[in-house]
Amino acid sequence: MKSMKISRTCHCLTAVIYAIALVNTAFSEVKLPAVLGSGMVLQREIPVPVWGWAEPGEGINVSFAGQMKVAETGGDGRWMVKLDPLKASNQPAKMTVTCRGGKQEIVLEDILVGEVWICSGQSNMEWALGNSMKAEEEVAASAHPLIRLFNVPGHTVSPLPKDQGAGNWQPCAPNSSRGFSAVGYFFGRRLKQELGVPVGLIGSNWGGTRIEPWTTLAGFESVPELSAIVRQVKGYEVGTRVGGGDPSAIYNSMVHPLTPFAMRGAIWYQGESNGSEGDSYYQKKHALVNGWRKVFRNEDLAFYWVQLANFQRPNRNPAGGDGWAKIREAQTRALDIPGTGMAVITDIGAANDIHPRNKQDVGWRLAQWALHQTYGMKDLVPAGPFYKSQKIEGGSIRISFHNIGKGLMIGKKSGLQPTEEIKDGKLEHFSITGEDMKWAWAEAVIDGETVVVKSSEVAKPIAVRYAYTMNPERANLYNREGLPAGPFRTDSWQGPSENLKWHPVNEGGQPPRSFSGSATEIIFSNKGDDKVKIYWVEFGGRLKFYGELEAGATRKQSTYSNASWLITNMEEKPLGYFRTTGKTGNAIIPKG
């Protein structure tokens, strides 16, 4: 027994010595992040960070394009320099990174200078060029040596931000483009054609994901309404188990290793997995943009997103408001963030497919925003007509728009063909209401740069809705540039509400799990004498903490119909639960 004990002790000691040796030698050689590699594109016209790791106190020299920058590693082994703003160049160049003592030299080759964008989101951004419309034809024609692709591999998470990730730069060619984001490729291809400079595209995507796991802690902290998520993320430790649905978990592993790589902007296609939300998605979009601008150290980072496409069976109720209507509204409202834009694609979706194959128009419309707003091509109208204002004129309402361009028209979009003007057509999918909020389908006509809306069923109208539904397949208002009008409503009515039933836990048992449904809201009012905690019961039955509610306080929360919400005391003893329906629900928490 004694010899066995000695043997085990020796093995443990050996393991400890080996671990210490690994720590001491982890940065004995200069290391660079994966995104800094041969074949990359560096962003022009702004300072360019170059960073890595080496032994503490090591002197580092970085040489590129006639510049020599020096740094010294800190006690944590990190170092960084910033290259002065570079001019665009399609001539391959070398970068050298050396230890000042001459112990090591890293040479990166075939580097271009131009425009760099990150392409991120869930499955519609991840959707590969090889699966898009006219895939084989597009892949075969994708040899663009001045476009470089960097794809973050796999689907990974981390409870804390990771410094090092994986991936490598490749010239855009059939073998590399086939599996790359189709939206990203078509966006980058148009930028290259219009700007005539090299383009670098970084893909970081994961199908089926919500916006929260892509958002940084700093982003959540920038939006007071998201304080409950801040507490959750701040609670993460090295050993915390996180999944693809947990806040910041994907960012920490699939975006943070890219920071602070210099880039012009981001394109974003996500929202389906948050499809039941309204105001809360608006808040989270602010958090996403704020956070990415901070970690990439670029307060002017452009950010363009895709509004969700038309999907599922059309709803003939003129009130609309079903399905993705509210999240599209939230995506539109988020345009109050400076330096952002939104590509409307409610005319190119598919009722039976959440992944419409026409990614060409999506990338083209995102590039239209970038060319107009980021690159100053003001002769290009950035998007289709967006609602501006309404004016009540007796029995009708006149609607004014932004982005008129060359004028308004009735149009039809078929496949990859340009939008066709329907000269003898009739405007569709406008509805109108009076003070009774009983909606009726309306007659709408183009009058110069406005649309006049009325209905014989509504004598004194107060509000108009257009394409405000999950699948507005009949919507056909365009500008003459062929870009569709964005869905809108001029009212702020939340719809009928109801008092939700309180199910005391000692009577009704544990709350059932939630199931995905249409978007709605729940308004919690704590009529009890004590502070309580609010939890959402996730689809799998796990509890997700949403916040505390003081006695006498009220909280509004976007949610699904068919969702369960558990209320506990501050010691987390269950008190009762509510079940939502499709209406706005008033949830009264009674005295104990």
Side-chain angles (χ1 to χ4, degrees):
M1 292 295 292
K2 187 175 180 180
S3 62
M4 181 179 290
K5 184 177 181 181
I6 293 172
S7 175
R8 290 175 61 188
T9 303
C10 289
H11 281 301
C12 291
L13 182 59
T14 301
V16 170
I17 294 172
Y18 180 66
I20 293 173
L22 283 179
V23 171
N24 289 338
T25 61
F27 299 125
S28 61
E29 295 182 348
V30 178
K31 289 191 176 182
L32 301 176
V35 73
L36 288 173
S38 293
M40 66 181 167
V41 177
L42 295 179
Q43 178 62 48
R44 63 173 174 168
E45 299 173 347
I46 64 175
V48 174
V50 178
W51 73 99
W53 304 268
E55 289 183 346
E58 182 72 73
I60 303 295
N61 295 336
V62 176
S63 176
F64 181 75
Q67 298 186 40
M68 171 69 78
K69 300 294 181 179
V70 298
E72 185 170 303
T73 58
D76 58 358
R78 299 169 183 266
W79 60 266
M80 177 182 291
V81 302
K82 284 189 177 181
L83 298 174
D84 298 331
L86 302 164
K87 293 183 179 181
S89 174
N90 60 11
Q91 297 301 310
K94 291 183 180 181
M95 176 184 291
T96 61
V97 180
T98 59
C99 293
R100 227 166 281 163
K103 293 180 293 185
Q104 184 189 0
E105 180 179 87
I106 297 175
V107 179
L108 306 181
E109 301 181 323
D110 192 25
I111 299 172
L112 309 177
V113 181
E115 293 297 314
V116 183
W117 290 76
I118 185 171
C119 317
S120 190
Q122 60 178 110
S123 55
N124 272 305
M125 182 63 84
E126 188 175 32
W127 199 260
L129 180 62
N131 293 324
S132 62
M133 196 174 288
K134 291 189 175 181
E136 292 308 314
E137 179 181 333
E138 295 285 12
V139 169
S142 66
H144 301 288
L146 296 185
I147 297 178
R148 305 293 173 82
L149 309 177
F150 183 99
N151 216 15
V152 175
H155 296 150
T156 61
V157 296
S158 174
L160 300 178
K162 293 173 61 177
D163 287 331
Q164 299 192 57
N168 62 283
W169 288 93
Q170 296 180 295
C172 185
N175 65 327
S176 59
S177 68
R178 180 178 292 276
F180 195 78
S181 163
V183 171
Y185 168 76
F186 291 121
F187 170 82
R189 184 180 71 177
R190 188 174 180 209
L191 291 191
K192 169 62 182 66
Q193 292 170 343
E194 298 280 357
L195 301 175
V197 300
V199 172
L201 301 172
I202 299 174
S204 184
N205 312 284
W206 186 339
T209 52
R210 295 170 62 84
I211 192 173
E212 296 93 324
W214 293 98
T215 304
T216 71
L217 172 59
F220 289 127
E221 289 177 325
S222 72
V223 181
E225 293 88 345
L226 303 179
S227 59
I229 300 180
V230 171
R231 288 193 292 270
Q232 179 180 350
V233 177
K234 281 188 172 181
Y236 294 164
E237 298 177 349
V238 173
T240 302
R241 296 186 63 180
V242 293
D246 291 306
S248 300
I250 298 176
Y251 163 78
N252 288 340
S253 184
M254 295 182 63
V255 180
H256 190 78
L258 305 170
T259 63
F261 194 75
M263 58 182 67
R264 185 70 72 186
I267 56 173
W268 175 259
Y269 192 163
Q270 188 278 336
E272 297 90 342
S273 291
N274 293 84
S276 68
E277 297 187 48
D279 286 346
S280 60
Y281 192 81
Y282 165 81
Q283 296 156 3
K284 293 167 188 174
K285 181 60 71 69
H286 274 256
L288 177 75
V289 177
N290 293 346
W292 281 28
R293 284 177 172 172
K294 183 173 182 178
V295 294
F296 283 106
R297 305 185 187 188
N298 183 356
E299 63 183 14
D300 297 318
L301 187 80
F303 217 105
Y304 301 118
W305 55 82
V306 183
Q307 191 180 56
L308 297 188
N310 50 310
F311 178 52
Q312 295 188 349
R313 178 183 296 181
N315 174 15
R316 290 295 297 165
N317 182 349
D322 56 305
W324 291 344
K326 289 183 179 178
I327 193 170
R328 290 199 193 104
E329 184 176 43
Q331 290 174 316
T332 302
R333 286 181 57 212
L335 293 173
D336 61 2
I337 306 171
T340 63
M342 182 180 73
V344 176
I345 61 165
T346 46
D347 61 334
I348 58 176
N352 62 350
D353 194 347
I354 200 171
H355 300 121
R357 299 305 196 267
N358 179 359
K359 304 303 188 193
Q360 287 89 332
D361 278 300
V362 181
W364 194 94
R365 291 176 185 180
L366 286 168
Q368 185 83 352
W369 267 104
L371 292 168
H372 168 84
Q373 184 164 267
T374 302
Y375 298 111
M377 297 185 180
K378 299 305 182 183
D379 56 323
L380 297 179
V381 61
F386 283 1
Y387 170 72
K388 181 179 180 182
S389 63
Q390 75 167 21
K391 181 180 180 182
I392 298 173
E393 299 178 343
S396 64
I397 297 179
R398 184 178 298 273
I399 304 295
S400 298
F401 299 91
H402 300 286
N403 306 325
I404 296 295
K406 297 177 182 177
L408 302 176
M409 72 175 192
I410 299 170
K412 180 179 180 181
K413 184 79 169 75
S414 299
L416 297 179
Q417 297 299 314
T419 304
E420 175 188 1
E421 181 180 6
I422 309 300
K423 293 185 178 181
D424 57 349
K426 175 183 175 184
L427 281 178
E428 300 277 1
H429 231 301
F430 281 87
S431 59
I432 196 167
T433 188
E435 291 183 353
D436 58 4
M437 300 309 290
K438 292 181 179 180
W439 293 88
W441 289 118
E443 173 189 339
V445 295
I446 296 172
D447 184 15
E449 296 187 346
T450 65
V451 171
V452 178
V453 187
K454 64 181 180 179
S455 170
S456 59
E457 299 179 38
V458 181
K460 296 182 178 180
I462 65 167
V464 168
R465 292 180 176 181
Y466 172 72
Y468 187 63
T469 183
M470 182 75 172
N471 185 358
E473 67 168 7
R474 296 178 297 113
N476 59 357
L477 176 63
Y478 290 78
N479 58 24
R480 292 192 173 276
E481 284 76 7
L483 296 168
F488 67 89
R489 60 172 176 155
T490 69
D491 65 286
S492 58
W493 189 53
Q494 295 302 305
S497 63
E498 64 178 337
N499 294 324
L500 299 178
K501 184 178 179 181
W502 169 254
H503 300 275
V505 168
N506 58 3
E507 295 180 12
Q510 293 297 318
R513 65 178 182 169
S514 301
F515 292 92
S516 181
S518 60
T520 186
E521 287 182 340
I522 186 169
I523 301 173
F524 297 98
S525 296
N526 185 5
K527 301 299 183 181
D529 297 322
D530 302 303
K531 184 193 298 187
V532 298
K533 290 184 176 181
I534 300 174
Y535 291 88
W536 176 50
V537 185
E538 294 185 332
F539 306 132
R542 186 173 63 171
L543 296 181
K544 185 172 183 179
F545 178 63
Y546 264 78
E548 300 172 353
L549 191 63
E550 298 282 351
T554 298
R555 173 191 177 100
K556 182 169 68 173
Q557 179 65 51
S558 296
T559 185
Y560 294 91
S561 57
N562 306 320
S564 293
W565 292 84
L566 176 67
I567 310 300
T568 75
N569 63 18
M570 294 307 292
E571 287 71 44
E572 300 185 348
K573 177 184 176 181
L575 301 176
Y577 67 89
F578 300 97
R579 287 285 285 174
T580 62
T581 69
K583 299 180 181 179
T584 299
N586 300 310
I588 306 298
I589 302 166
K591 291 180 179 293

